Amino acid sequence: MVRVISSQPRKQRKARYNAPHHMRGSLLHAALSKELQGKYKRRSIRVIKGDTVKVLRGDHAGTEGLVDYVITRDARIVVDGVSVKKADGTEVPRPVDPSNVMITELNLEDKRREQKLSGE
């Protein structure tokens, strides 16, 4: 987790932008749905490709879809079905901040992730 002592927003933003690679994973956590919170006894987890999320904020609030990919550098995720139209009419994916989504279904293909969640 990126720790910033200052209460100034500019310094908090700067800490996020300049965070080292090994700390960026903490910026990619999203809340779990109530059912998943009860099942796994935790409030949030890192978002990975293949998770199903529901967008809670912004123009696409209420949209549910699979995570297509994660942009670690910018701490953003790309959700299937969340896109914007360009001036020429083509649609491009709209990256979403992980804090604005809720995970509704987990991708448990990774056995290490499954073990971590089960508490073993």
Side-chain angles (χ1 to χ4, degrees):
M1 182 166 165
V2 181
R3 296 238 175 218
V4 183
I5 296 169
S6 176
S7 61
Q8 295 181 358
R10 65 180 166 156
K11 289 188 180 179
Q12 292 183 6
R13 279 192 296 271
K14 184 176 182 180
R16 286 179 66 97
Y17 298 150
N18 297 329
H21 186 73
H22 71 282
M23 290 184 163
R24 288 190 183 261
S26 67
L27 304 175
L28 289 166
H29 279 64
L32 291 170
S33 66
K34 292 291 182 194
E35 298 82 38
L36 293 176
Q37 281 182 29
K39 184 176 180 181
Y40 295 112
K41 305 287 189 268
R42 54 191 302 171
R43 288 174 60 104
S44 65
I45 192 169
R46 189 187 196 281
V47 181
I48 64 168
K49 178 180 174 179
D51 286 345
T52 304
V53 297
K54 181 179 181 180
V55 180
L56 303 175
R57 295 275 184 268
D59 295 337
H60 298 282
T63 305
E64 195 164 335
L66 280 173
V67 175
D68 286 338
Y69 55 94
V70 178
I71 308 169
T72 314
R73 184 189 68 226
D74 302 329
R76 295 281 189 266
I77 59 172
V78 174
V79 181
D80 186 40
V82 177
S83 60
V84 290
K85 278 194 176 169
K86 288 174 42 172
D88 64 0
T90 58
E91 289 206 8
V92 292
R94 172 78 167 93
V96 180
D97 194 278
S99 66
N100 295 332
V101 301
M102 176 176 64
I103 300 174
T104 55
E105 197 175 313
L106 291 169
N107 174 11
L108 295 175
E109 289 177 13
D110 183 11
K111 297 303 172 200
R112 280 186 19 197
R113 187 183 200 203
E114 197 170 6
Q115 276 184 334
K116 187 176 182 181
L117 281 170
S118 65
E120 293 176 3

